[in-house]
PDB file of all heavy atoms in Angstrom:
ATOM      1  N   VAL Y   1       0.316 -58.961  31.182  1.00  0.00           N
ATOM      2  CA  VAL Y   1      -0.421 -60.202  31.005  1.00  0.00           C
ATOM      3  C   VAL Y   1       0.025 -60.856  29.695  1.00  0.00           C
ATOM      4  O   VAL Y   1      -0.050 -60.259  28.628  1.00  0.00           O
ATOM      5  CB  VAL Y   1      -1.919 -59.986  30.997  1.00  0.00           C
ATOM      6  CG1 VAL Y   1      -2.639 -61.292  30.716  1.00  0.00           C
ATOM      7  CG2 VAL Y   1      -2.390 -59.375  32.324  1.00  0.00           C
ATOM      8  N   GLN Y   2       0.464 -62.085  29.796  1.00  0.00           N
ATOM      9  CA  GLN Y   2       0.964 -62.752  28.598  1.00  0.00           C
ATOM     10  C   GLN Y   2       0.877 -64.277  28.740  1.00  0.00           C
ATOM     11  O   GLN Y   2       1.092 -64.821  29.830  1.00  0.00           O
ATOM     12  CB  GLN Y   2       2.440 -62.364  28.386  1.00  0.00           C
ATOM     13  CG  GLN Y   2       2.997 -62.696  27.029  1.00  0.00           C
ATOM     14  CD  GLN Y   2       4.390 -62.119  26.827  1.00  0.00           C
ATOM     15  OE1 GLN Y   2       5.090 -61.753  27.788  1.00  0.00           O
ATOM     16  NE2 GLN Y   2       4.796 -62.017  25.581  1.00  0.00           N
ATOM     17  N   LEU Y   3       0.574 -64.916  27.647  1.00  0.00           N
ATOM     18  CA  LEU Y   3       0.588 -66.373  27.538  1.00  0.00           C
ATOM     19  C   LEU Y   3       1.464 -66.709  26.352  1.00  0.00           C
ATOM     20  O   LEU Y   3       1.251 -66.241  25.268  1.00  0.00           O
ATOM     21  CB  LEU Y   3      -0.813 -66.921  27.309  1.00  0.00           C
ATOM     22  CG  LEU Y   3      -1.857 -66.680  28.414  1.00  0.00           C
ATOM     23  CD1 LEU Y   3      -3.250 -67.030  27.906  1.00  0.00           C
ATOM     24  CD2 LEU Y   3      -1.514 -67.478  29.646  1.00  0.00           C
ATOM     25  N   VAL Y   4       2.488 -67.551  26.605  1.00  0.00           N
ATOM     26  CA  VAL Y   4       3.417 -67.890  25.528  1.00  0.00           C
ATOM     27  C   VAL Y   4       3.489 -69.396  25.399  1.00  0.00           C
ATOM     28  O   VAL Y   4       3.963 -70.090  26.268  1.00  0.00           O
ATOM     29  CB  VAL Y   4       4.823 -67.305  25.785  1.00  0.00           C
ATOM     30  CG1 VAL Y   4       5.767 -67.710  24.660  1.00  0.00           C
ATOM     31  CG2 VAL Y   4       4.766 -65.810  25.938  1.00  0.00           C
ATOM     32  N   GLU Y   5       2.986 -69.854  24.244  1.00  0.00           N
ATOM     33  CA  GLU Y   5       2.989 -71.302  23.976  1.00  0.00           C
ATOM     34  C   GLU Y   5       4.228 -71.713  23.197  1.00  0.00           C
ATOM     35  O   GLU Y   5       4.745 -70.914  22.388  1.00  0.00           O
ATOM     36  CB  GLU Y   5       1.736 -71.691  23.150  1.00  0.00           C
ATOM     37  CG  GLU Y   5       0.430 -71.338  23.790  1.00  0.00           C
ATOM     38  CD  GLU Y   5      -0.120 -69.984  23.350  1.00  0.00           C
ATOM     39  OE1 GLU Y   5       0.641 -69.161  22.815  1.00  0.00           O
ATOM     40  OE2 GLU Y   5      -1.351 -69.735  23.553  1.00  0.00           O
ATOM     41  N   SER Y   6       4.676 -72.924  23.431  1.00  0.00           N
ATOM     42  CA  SER Y   6       5.843 -73.456  22.689  1.00  0.00           C
ATOM     43  C   SER Y   6       5.805 -74.961  22.667  1.00  0.00           C
ATOM     44  O   SER Y   6       4.983 -75.570  23.380  1.00  0.00           O
ATOM     45  CB  SER Y   6       7.137 -72.956  23.328  1.00  0.00           C
ATOM     46  OG  SER Y   6       7.261 -73.445  24.643  1.00  0.00           O
ATOM     47  N   GLY Y   7       6.686 -75.540  21.890  1.00  0.00           N
ATOM     48  CA  GLY Y   7       6.810 -76.995  21.865  1.00  0.00           C
ATOM     49  C   GLY Y   7       6.214 -77.704  20.645  1.00  0.00           C
ATOM     50  O   GLY Y   7       6.338 -78.904  20.530  1.00  0.00           O
ATOM     51  N   GLY Y   8       5.557 -76.934  19.807  1.00  0.00           N
ATOM     52  CA  GLY Y   8       4.965 -77.546  18.625  1.00  0.00           C
ATOM     53  C   GLY Y   8       6.019 -77.968  17.633  1.00  0.00           C
ATOM     54  O   GLY Y   8       7.202 -77.701  17.782  1.00  0.00           O
ATOM     55  N   GLY Y   9       5.562 -78.624  16.570  1.00  0.00           N
ATOM     56  CA  GLY Y   9       6.478 -79.089  15.541  1.00  0.00           C
ATOM     57  C   GLY Y   9       5.800 -80.063  14.594  1.00  0.00           C
ATOM     58  O   GLY Y   9       4.596 -80.258  14.630  1.00  0.00           O
ATOM     59  N   LEU Y  10       6.664 -80.687  13.782  1.00  0.00           N
ATOM     60  CA  LEU Y  10       6.195 -81.709  12.826  1.00  0.00           C
ATOM     61  C   LEU Y  10       6.573 -83.072  13.376  1.00  0.00           C
ATOM     62  O   LEU Y  10       7.697 -83.320  13.754  1.00  0.00           O
ATOM     63  CB  LEU Y  10       6.899 -81.468  11.489  1.00  0.00           C
ATOM     64  CG  LEU Y  10       6.645 -82.529  10.396  1.00  0.00           C
ATOM     65  CD1 LEU Y  10       5.176 -82.592  10.026  1.00  0.00           C
ATOM     66  CD2 LEU Y  10       7.519 -82.236   9.169  1.00  0.00           C
ATOM     67  N   VAL Y  11       5.587 -83.948  13.408  1.00  0.00           N
ATOM     68  CA  VAL Y  11       5.813 -85.298  13.933  1.00  0.00           C
ATOM     69  C   VAL Y  11       5.003 -86.293  13.133  1.00  0.00           C
ATOM     70  O   VAL Y  11       3.956 -85.952  12.554  1.00  0.00           O
ATOM     71  CB  VAL Y  11       5.401 -85.348  15.445  1.00  0.00           C
ATOM     72  CG1 VAL Y  11       3.910 -85.076  15.607  1.00  0.00           C
ATOM     73  CG2 VAL Y  11       5.806 -86.657  16.080  1.00  0.00           C
ATOM     74  N   GLN Y  12       5.499 -87.518  13.053  1.00  0.00           N
ATOM     75  CA  GLN Y  12       4.775 -88.546  12.341  1.00  0.00           C
ATOM     76  C   GLN Y  12       3.626 -89.100  13.194  1.00  0.00           C
ATOM     77  O   GLN Y  12       3.669 -89.010  14.438  1.00  0.00           O
ATOM     78  CB  GLN Y  12       5.714 -89.695  11.965  1.00  0.00           C
ATOM     79  CG  GLN Y  12       6.696 -89.326  10.860  1.00  0.00           C
ATOM     80  CD  GLN Y  12       7.502 -90.539  10.384  1.00  0.00           C
ATOM     81  OE1 GLN Y  12       7.734 -91.475  11.155  1.00  0.00           O
ATOM     82  NE2 GLN Y  12       7.930 -90.517   9.133  1.00  0.00           N
ATOM     83  N   ALA Y  13       2.651 -89.622  12.506  1.00  0.00           N
ATOM     84  CA  ALA Y  13       1.531 -90.228  13.222  1.00  0.00           C
ATOM     85  C   ALA Y  13       2.070 -91.292  14.195  1.00  0.00           C
ATOM     86  O   ALA Y  13       2.969 -92.052  13.851  1.00  0.00           O
ATOM     87  CB  ALA Y  13       0.566 -90.861  12.235  1.00  0.00           C
ATOM     88  N   GLY Y  14       1.492 -91.292  15.390  1.00  0.00           N
ATOM     89  CA  GLY Y  14       1.957 -92.219  16.424  1.00  0.00           C
ATOM     90  C   GLY Y  14       2.999 -91.627  17.347  1.00  0.00           C
ATOM     91  O   GLY Y  14       3.319 -92.218  18.382  1.00  0.00           O
ATOM     92  N   GLY Y  15       3.533 -90.503  16.980  1.00  0.00           N
ATOM     93  CA  GLY Y  15       4.574 -89.824  17.757  1.00  0.00           C
ATOM     94  C   GLY Y  15       4.006 -89.016  18.904  1.00  0.00           C
ATOM     95  O   GLY Y  15       2.798 -89.014  19.183  1.00  0.00           O
ATOM     96  N   SER Y  16       4.928 -88.323  19.568  1.00  0.00           N
ATOM     97  CA  SER Y  16       4.569 -87.535  20.748  1.00  0.00           C
ATOM     98  C   SER Y  16       5.184 -86.151  20.696  1.00  0.00           C
ATOM     99  O   SER Y  16       6.224 -85.948  20.070  1.00  0.00           O
ATOM    100  CB  SER Y  16       5.066 -88.236  22.039  1.00  0.00           C
ATOM    101  OG  SER Y  16       4.497 -89.504  22.194  1.00  0.00           O
ATOM    102  N   LEU Y  17       4.503 -85.225  21.358  1.00  0.00           N
ATOM    103  CA  LEU Y  17       5.018 -83.880  21.569  1.00  0.00           C
ATOM    104  C   LEU Y  17       4.586 -83.412  22.962  1.00  0.00           C
ATOM    105  O   LEU Y  17       3.547 -83.869  23.476  1.00  0.00           O
ATOM    106  CB  LEU Y  17       4.481 -82.897  20.524  1.00  0.00           C
ATOM    107  CG  LEU Y  17       5.083 -82.927  19.111  1.00  0.00           C
ATOM    108  CD1 LEU Y  17       4.287 -82.007  18.214  1.00  0.00           C
ATOM    109  CD2 LEU Y  17       6.543 -82.542  19.124  1.00  0.00           C
ATOM    110  N   ARG Y  18       5.359 -82.490  23.501  1.00  0.00           N
ATOM    111  CA  ARG Y  18       4.990 -81.882  24.769  1.00  0.00           C
ATOM    112  C   ARG Y  18       4.929 -80.362  24.587  1.00  0.00           C
ATOM    113  O   ARG Y  18       5.970 -79.747  24.270  1.00  0.00           O
ATOM    114  CB  ARG Y  18       5.977 -82.230  25.864  1.00  0.00           C
ATOM    115  CG  ARG Y  18       5.551 -81.775  27.261  1.00  0.00           C
ATOM    116  CD  ARG Y  18       6.693 -81.844  28.252  1.00  0.00           C
ATOM    117  NE  ARG Y  18       6.238 -81.743  29.622  1.00  0.00           N
ATOM    118  CZ  ARG Y  18       7.050 -81.358  30.625  1.00  0.00           C
ATOM    119  NH1 ARG Y  18       8.275 -81.005  30.376  1.00  0.00           N
ATOM    120  NH2 ARG Y  18       6.579 -81.317  31.851  1.00  0.00           N
ATOM    121  N   LEU Y  19       3.790 -79.800  24.784  1.00  0.00           N
ATOM    122  CA  LEU Y  19       3.600 -78.374  24.657  1.00  0.00           C
ATOM    123  C   LEU Y  19       3.734 -77.717  26.034  1.00  0.00           C
ATOM    124  O   LEU Y  19       3.389 -78.315  27.060  1.00  0.00           O
ATOM    125  CB  LEU Y  19       2.238 -78.051  24.086  1.00  0.00           C
ATOM    126  CG  LEU Y  19       1.870 -78.717  22.751  1.00  0.00           C
ATOM    127  CD1 LEU Y  19       0.521 -78.213  22.285  1.00  0.00           C
ATOM    128  CD2 LEU Y  19       2.939 -78.489  21.706  1.00  0.00           C
ATOM    129  N   SER Y  20       4.211 -76.470  26.039  1.00  0.00           N
ATOM    130  CA  SER Y  20       4.341 -75.685  27.238  1.00  0.00           C
ATOM    131  C   SER Y  20       3.672 -74.341  27.043  1.00  0.00           C
ATOM    132  O   SER Y  20       3.645 -73.801  25.926  1.00  0.00           O
ATOM    133  CB  SER Y  20       5.801 -75.454  27.611  1.00  0.00           C
ATOM    134  OG  SER Y  20       6.479 -76.656  27.819  1.00  0.00           O
ATOM    135  N   CYS Y  21       3.132 -73.792  28.099  1.00  0.00           N
ATOM    136  CA  CYS Y  21       2.552 -72.473  28.085  1.00  0.00           C
ATOM    137  C   CYS Y  21       2.963 -71.760  29.364  1.00  0.00           C
ATOM    138  O   CYS Y  21       2.599 -72.195  30.466  1.00  0.00           O
ATOM    139  CB  CYS Y  21       1.034 -72.542  28.004  1.00  0.00           C
ATOM    140  SG  CYS Y  21       0.198 -70.966  28.230  1.00  0.00           S
ATOM    141  N   VAL Y  22       3.715 -70.697  29.194  1.00  0.00           N
ATOM    142  CA  VAL Y  22       4.165 -69.898  30.328  1.00  0.00           C
ATOM    143  C   VAL Y  22       3.281 -68.682  30.450  1.00  0.00           C
ATOM    144  O   VAL Y  22       3.081 -67.930  29.502  1.00  0.00           O
ATOM    145  CB  VAL Y  22       5.618 -69.467  30.178  1.00  0.00           C
ATOM    146  CG1 VAL Y  22       6.079 -68.638  31.372  1.00  0.00           C
ATOM    147  CG2 VAL Y  22       6.531 -70.693  30.025  1.00  0.00           C
ATOM    148  N   ALA Y  23       2.731 -68.501  31.632  1.00  0.00           N
ATOM    149  CA  ALA Y  23       1.821 -67.378  31.892  1.00  0.00           C
ATOM    150  C   ALA Y  23       2.497 -66.312  32.752  1.00  0.00           C
ATOM    151  O   ALA Y  23       3.274 -66.664  33.664  1.00  0.00           O
ATOM    152  CB  ALA Y  23       0.550 -67.884  32.591  1.00  0.00           C
ATOM    153  N   SER Y  24       2.183 -65.081  32.500  1.00  0.00           N
ATOM    154  CA  SER Y  24       2.691 -64.009  33.316  1.00  0.00           C
ATOM    155  C   SER Y  24       1.570 -62.967  33.510  1.00  0.00           C
ATOM    156  O   SER Y  24       0.723 -62.803  32.649  1.00  0.00           O
ATOM    157  CB  SER Y  24       3.911 -63.364  32.680  1.00  0.00           C
ATOM    158  OG  SER Y  24       3.615 -62.886  31.393  1.00  0.00           O
ATOM    159  N   GLY Y  25       1.601 -62.323  34.662  1.00  0.00           N
ATOM    160  CA  GLY Y  25       0.629 -61.276  34.934  1.00  0.00           C
ATOM    161  C   GLY Y  25      -0.755 -61.741  35.313  1.00  0.00           C
ATOM    162  O   GLY Y  25      -1.683 -60.968  35.284  1.00  0.00           O
ATOM    163  N   ILE Y  26      -0.891 -63.034  35.659  1.00  0.00           N
ATOM    164  CA  ILE Y  26      -2.203 -63.568  36.035  1.00  0.00           C
ATOM    165  C   ILE Y  26      -2.061 -64.317  37.343  1.00  0.00           C
ATOM    166  O   ILE Y  26      -0.949 -64.662  37.748  1.00  0.00           O
ATOM    167  CB  ILE Y  26      -2.818 -64.487  34.960  1.00  0.00           C
ATOM    168  CG1 ILE Y  26      -1.968 -65.776  34.794  1.00  0.00           C
ATOM    169  CG2 ILE Y  26      -2.913 -63.779  33.623  1.00  0.00           C
ATOM    170  CD1 ILE Y  26      -2.615 -66.826  33.919  1.00  0.00           C
ATOM    171  N   ALA Y  27      -3.186 -64.587  37.963  1.00  0.00           N
ATOM    172  CA  ALA Y  27      -3.219 -65.355  39.210  1.00  0.00           C
ATOM    173  C   ALA Y  27      -3.147 -66.842  38.871  1.00  0.00           C
ATOM    174  O   ALA Y  27      -4.061 -67.602  39.101  1.00  0.00           O
ATOM    175  CB  ALA Y  27      -4.464 -65.040  39.990  1.00  0.00           C
ATOM    176  N   PHE Y  28      -2.043 -67.245  38.305  1.00  0.00           N
ATOM    177  CA  PHE Y  28      -1.925 -68.586  37.726  1.00  0.00           C
ATOM    178  C   PHE Y  28      -2.254 -69.696  38.719  1.00  0.00           C
ATOM    179  O   PHE Y  28      -3.005 -70.614  38.406  1.00  0.00           O
ATOM    180  CB  PHE Y  28      -0.498 -68.817  37.181  1.00  0.00           C
ATOM    181  CG  PHE Y  28      -0.278 -70.145  36.536  1.00  0.00           C
ATOM    182  CD1 PHE Y  28      -0.559 -70.293  35.190  1.00  0.00           C
ATOM    183  CD2 PHE Y  28       0.195 -71.229  37.273  1.00  0.00           C
ATOM    184  CE1 PHE Y  28      -0.355 -71.534  34.560  1.00  0.00           C
ATOM    185  CE2 PHE Y  28       0.383 -72.452  36.650  1.00  0.00           C
ATOM    186  CZ  PHE Y  28       0.126 -72.616  35.297  1.00  0.00           C
ATOM    187  N   SER Y  29      -1.757 -69.617  39.932  1.00  0.00           N
ATOM    188  CA  SER Y  29      -1.891 -70.706  40.869  1.00  0.00           C
ATOM    189  C   SER Y  29      -3.316 -70.930  41.337  1.00  0.00           C
ATOM    190  O   SER Y  29      -3.612 -72.022  41.850  1.00  0.00           O
ATOM    191  CB  SER Y  29      -0.963 -70.481  42.074  1.00  0.00           C
ATOM    192  OG  SER Y  29      -1.350 -69.336  42.768  1.00  0.00           O
ATOM    193  N   ILE Y  30      -4.183 -69.955  41.169  1.00  0.00           N
ATOM    194  CA  ILE Y  30      -5.553 -70.147  41.667  1.00  0.00           C
ATOM    195  C   ILE Y  30      -6.565 -70.258  40.524  1.00  0.00           C
ATOM    196  O   ILE Y  30      -7.765 -70.353  40.744  1.00  0.00           O
ATOM    197  CB  ILE Y  30      -5.986 -68.994  42.610  1.00  0.00           C
ATOM    198  CG1 ILE Y  30      -5.981 -67.665  41.881  1.00  0.00           C
ATOM    199  CG2 ILE Y  30      -5.055 -68.948  43.827  1.00  0.00           C
ATOM    200  CD1 ILE Y  30      -6.564 -66.520  42.713  1.00  0.00           C
ATOM    201  N   ASP Y  31      -6.087 -70.220  39.290  1.00  0.00           N
ATOM    202  CA  ASP Y  31      -6.969 -70.274  38.145  1.00  0.00           C
ATOM    203  C   ASP Y  31      -6.912 -71.604  37.443  1.00  0.00           C
ATOM    204  O   ASP Y  31      -5.859 -72.262  37.378  1.00  0.00           O
ATOM    205  CB  ASP Y  31      -6.608 -69.200  37.150  1.00  0.00           C
ATOM    206  CG  ASP Y  31      -7.053 -67.809  37.603  1.00  0.00           C
ATOM    207  OD1 ASP Y  31      -7.667 -67.717  38.670  1.00  0.00           O
ATOM    208  OD2 ASP Y  31      -6.776 -66.827  36.903  1.00  0.00           O
ATOM    209  N   THR Y  32      -8.049 -71.996  36.876  1.00  0.00           N
ATOM    210  CA  THR Y  32      -8.087 -73.182  36.009  1.00  0.00           C
ATOM    211  C   THR Y  32      -7.527 -72.773  34.645  1.00  0.00           C
ATOM    212  O   THR Y  32      -7.869 -71.723  34.100  1.00  0.00           O
ATOM    213  CB  THR Y  32      -9.533 -73.672  35.832  1.00  0.00           C
ATOM    214  OG1 THR Y  32     -10.006 -74.142  37.092  1.00  0.00           O
ATOM    215  CG2 THR Y  32      -9.623 -74.786  34.794  1.00  0.00           C
ATOM    216  N   MET Y  33      -6.626 -73.601  34.135  1.00  0.00           N
ATOM    217  CA  MET Y  33      -5.990 -73.324  32.856  1.00  0.00           C
ATOM    218  C   MET Y  33      -6.413 -74.378  31.835  1.00  0.00           C
ATOM    219  O   MET Y  33      -6.751 -75.519  32.171  1.00  0.00           O
ATOM    220  CB  MET Y  33      -4.445 -73.362  33.001  1.00  0.00           C
ATOM    221  CG  MET Y  33      -3.926 -72.319  33.946  1.00  0.00           C
ATOM    222  SD  MET Y  33      -4.200 -70.623  33.367  1.00  0.00           S
ATOM    223  CE  MET Y  33      -3.180 -70.578  31.882  1.00  0.00           C
ATOM    224  N   GLY Y  34      -6.356 -73.986  30.567  1.00  0.00           N
ATOM    225  CA  GLY Y  34      -6.802 -74.910  29.522  1.00  0.00           C
ATOM    226  C   GLY Y  34      -6.006 -74.821  28.259  1.00  0.00           C
ATOM    227  O   GLY Y  34      -5.303 -73.826  28.005  1.00  0.00           O
ATOM    228  N   TRP Y  35      -6.119 -75.851  27.458  1.00  0.00           N
ATOM    229  CA  TRP Y  35      -5.552 -75.909  26.113  1.00  0.00           C
ATOM    230  C   TRP Y  35      -6.703 -76.006  25.127  1.00  0.00           C
ATOM    231  O   TRP Y  35      -7.675 -76.725  25.356  1.00  0.00           O
ATOM    232  CB  TRP Y  35      -4.636 -77.108  25.934  1.00  0.00           C
ATOM    233  CG  TRP Y  35      -3.276 -76.946  26.566  1.00  0.00           C
ATOM    234  CD1 TRP Y  35      -2.867 -77.412  27.778  1.00  0.00           C
ATOM    235  CD2 TRP Y  35      -2.145 -76.299  25.979  1.00  0.00           C
ATOM    236  NE1 TRP Y  35      -1.557 -77.067  27.999  1.00  0.00           N
ATOM    237  CE2 TRP Y  35      -1.095 -76.385  26.909  1.00  0.00           C
ATOM    238  CE3 TRP Y  35      -1.902 -75.641  24.778  1.00  0.00           C
ATOM    239  CZ2 TRP Y  35       0.184 -75.865  26.672  1.00  0.00           C
ATOM    240  CZ3 TRP Y  35      -0.635 -75.112  24.533  1.00  0.00           C
ATOM    241  CH2 TRP Y  35       0.390 -75.230  25.483  1.00  0.00           C
ATOM    242  N   TYR Y  36      -6.514 -75.312  24.003  1.00  0.00           N
ATOM    243  CA  TYR Y  36      -7.473 -75.312  22.907  1.00  0.00           C
ATOM    244  C   TYR Y  36      -6.699 -75.521  21.624  1.00  0.00           C
ATOM    245  O   TYR Y  36      -5.485 -75.362  21.597  1.00  0.00           O
ATOM    246  CB  TYR Y  36      -8.235 -73.998  22.843  1.00  0.00           C
ATOM    247  CG  TYR Y  36      -9.023 -73.677  24.083  1.00  0.00           C
ATOM    248  CD1 TYR Y  36      -8.397 -73.181  25.213  1.00  0.00           C
ATOM    249  CD2 TYR Y  36     -10.399 -73.870  24.132  1.00  0.00           C
ATOM    250  CE1 TYR Y  36      -9.124 -72.900  26.372  1.00  0.00           C
ATOM    251  CE2 TYR Y  36     -11.149 -73.585  25.267  1.00  0.00           C
ATOM    252  CZ  TYR Y  36     -10.497 -73.093  26.361  1.00  0.00           C
ATOM    253  OH  TYR Y  36     -11.219 -72.824  27.504  1.00  0.00           O
ATOM    254  N   ARG Y  37      -7.405 -75.828  20.551  1.00  0.00           N
ATOM    255  CA  ARG Y  37      -6.733 -75.935  19.264  1.00  0.00           C
ATOM    256  C   ARG Y  37      -7.671 -75.493  18.159  1.00  0.00           C
ATOM    257  O   ARG Y  37      -8.877 -75.518  18.298  1.00  0.00           O
ATOM    258  CB  ARG Y  37      -6.259 -77.385  19.010  1.00  0.00           C
ATOM    259  CG  ARG Y  37      -7.398 -78.408  18.818  1.00  0.00           C
ATOM    260  CD  ARG Y  37      -6.800 -79.806  18.711  1.00  0.00           C
ATOM    261  NE  ARG Y  37      -7.813 -80.800  18.482  1.00  0.00           N
ATOM    262  CZ  ARG Y  37      -7.596 -82.108  18.479  1.00  0.00           C
ATOM    263  NH1 ARG Y  37      -6.359 -82.592  18.682  1.00  0.00           N
ATOM    264  NH2 ARG Y  37      -8.595 -82.946  18.244  1.00  0.00           N
ATOM    265  N   GLN Y  38      -7.022 -75.063  17.086  1.00  0.00           N
ATOM    266  CA  GLN Y  38      -7.800 -74.615  15.922  1.00  0.00           C
ATOM    267  C   GLN Y  38      -7.120 -75.141  14.666  1.00  0.00           C
ATOM    268  O   GLN Y  38      -6.004 -74.747  14.354  1.00  0.00           O
ATOM    269  CB  GLN Y  38      -7.907 -73.076  15.868  1.00  0.00           C
ATOM    270  CG  GLN Y  38      -8.831 -72.580  14.778  1.00  0.00           C
ATOM    271  CD  GLN Y  38      -9.149 -71.114  14.920  1.00  0.00           C
ATOM    272  OE1 GLN Y  38      -8.455 -70.363  15.594  1.00  0.00           O
ATOM    273  NE2 GLN Y  38     -10.236 -70.706  14.295  1.00  0.00           N
ATOM    274  N   ALA Y  39      -7.822 -76.015  13.979  1.00  0.00           N
ATOM    275  CA  ALA Y  39      -7.338 -76.523  12.697  1.00  0.00           C
ATOM    276  C   ALA Y  39      -7.752 -75.572  11.584  1.00  0.00           C
ATOM    277  O   ALA Y  39      -8.707 -74.779  11.738  1.00  0.00           O
ATOM    278  CB  ALA Y  39      -7.913 -77.912  12.444  1.00  0.00           C
ATOM    279  N   ALA Y  40      -7.036 -75.595  10.487  1.00  0.00           N
ATOM    280  CA  ALA Y  40      -7.325 -74.718   9.378  1.00  0.00           C
ATOM    281  C   ALA Y  40      -8.770 -74.859   8.913  1.00  0.00           C
ATOM    282  O   ALA Y  40      -9.249 -75.975   8.689  1.00  0.00           O
ATOM    283  CB  ALA Y  40      -6.355 -74.992   8.235  1.00  0.00           C
TER     284      ALA Y  40
END
């Protein structure tokens, strides 16, 4: 079971980024997935 996030970086205000999360070992296609964040 693993979740691997990628795609982050440094960007200026107004810019864009696309994050990806690859899942393994879970019933991905039948589960609701989510994104969370934690600031310092």
